[in-house]
């Protein structure tokens, strides 16, 4: 949805939270919508906070029947291209002794107390791994570094929404 749609809906009935994709490789929400949500006191529930798995650094190829084949960021040569481009991010996670998934979630949690990432997994141990992201403290210098290296526009492939 757009900022304008949220404004219109909020006038009809107060909105508490809006769900929109938000992650280090999908930062479109920062351009306009997030500003409006903050102005109106509405929380942001960030879906696919791990880039549907990409930001965990564990996706090297996709099976033919994997639904992510439909995502331009995974399609064709883009997956390999994006893996190269996000190498510095993976390197920071290694440097900090955390997993890329944890760093991706920690970065989101540092964007404000009004941001609620909802990572998905089918594995209990990953729920535990991901939950530990709440213990990670990122310094302003580190946040700046991550923001610069994973700037909006870095990922190859059009947005789905
Ligand atoms: N509102 C909407 O339009 C919308 C759209 C999409 C999604 N969502 C919601 O957003 C939530 C999450 O989205 P999502 O599941 O698409 O994306 P995600 O959370 O960005 O990524 C999930 C993927 O990452 C893998 N993963 C999770 N933790 C991992 C870890 N620690 N290490 C390695 N791999 C890991 C999962 O694989 P395994 O399962 O194998 O662990 C899964 O393939 C869901 O609740 C979903 O319903 C909402």
């Amino acid at each position: 949805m757009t900022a304008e749609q949220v404004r219109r809906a909020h006038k009809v009935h107060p909105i508490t939270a809006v769900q929109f994709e938000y992650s280090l490789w999908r930062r479109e929400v920062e351009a306009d919508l997030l500003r409006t949500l903050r102005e109106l006191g509405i929380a942001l529930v960030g879906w696919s906070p791990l880039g549907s798995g990409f930001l965990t650094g564990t996706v090297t190829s996709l099976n033919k029947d994997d639904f992510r084949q439909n995502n331009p960021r995974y399609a064709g040569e883009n997956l390999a291209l994006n893996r190269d481009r996000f190498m510095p991010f993976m390197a920071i996670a290694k440097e900090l002794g955390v997993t890329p998934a944890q760093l991706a979630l920690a970065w989101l949690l540092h964007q404000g107390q009004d941001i609620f990432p909802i990572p998905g997994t089918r594995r209990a141990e990953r729920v535990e791994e991901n939950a530990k992201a709440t213990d990670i403290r990122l310094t302003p210098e580190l946040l700046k570094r991550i923001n610069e290296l994973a700037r909006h526009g870095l990922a190859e492939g059009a947005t789905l929404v």
Side-chain angles (χ1 to χ4, degrees):
M1 64 195 66
T2 65
E4 184 47 36
Q5 286 168 332
V6 173
R7 277 187 196 284
R8 275 172 44 216
H10 195 62
K11 278 185 194 154
V12 178
H13 185 85
I15 309 279
T16 303
V18 162
Q19 199 174 135
F20 202 88
E21 184 167 8
Y22 193 21
S23 74
L24 270 167
W25 86 337
R26 288 276 189 219
R27 301 183 61 175
E28 291 83 353
V29 72
E30 293 172 352
D32 192 20
L33 183 58
L34 186 53
R35 211 174 323 123
T36 301
L37 296 183
R38 286 184 164 154
E39 184 194 318
L40 301 176
I42 301 171
L44 173 66
V45 176
W47 56 263
S48 294
L50 300 172
S52 307
F54 175 81
L55 293 167
T56 69
T58 59
V59 186
T60 50
S61 63
L62 297 180
N63 293 329
K64 273 193 188 137
D65 56 351
D66 193 311
F67 76 100
R68 289 171 294 188
Q69 296 276 10
N70 300 321
N71 184 333
R73 300 238 158 141
Y74 284 90
E77 293 171 354
N78 285 352
L79 177 57
L81 205 59
N82 286 327
R83 276 180 65 80
D84 281 352
R85 292 186 187 175
F86 279 81
M87 278 303 179
F89 168 75
M90 306 297 164
I92 292 183
K94 200 170 177 190
E95 198 180 300
L96 295 177
V98 300
T99 66
Q102 289 170 332
L103 184 57
L105 295 172
W107 176 84
L108 273 172
L109 292 168
H110 279 74
Q111 301 314 301
Q113 292 193 331
D114 52 350
I115 310 283
F116 297 87
I118 49 167
T121 177
R122 292 160 294 186
R123 292 162 58 166
E125 67 273 19
R126 287 181 172 172
V127 173
E128 285 172 17
E129 174 191 332
N130 296 346
K132 286 190 184 126
T134 55
D135 298 333
I136 299 171
R137 299 284 169 270
L138 300 174
T139 63
E141 294 73 27
L142 209 45
L143 284 167
K144 186 166 178 278
R145 228 174 112 197
I146 297 170
N147 277 328
E148 283 172 2
L149 71 86
R151 65 197 175 279
H152 173 63
L154 175 71
E156 195 67 32
T159 55
L160 278 177
V161 289

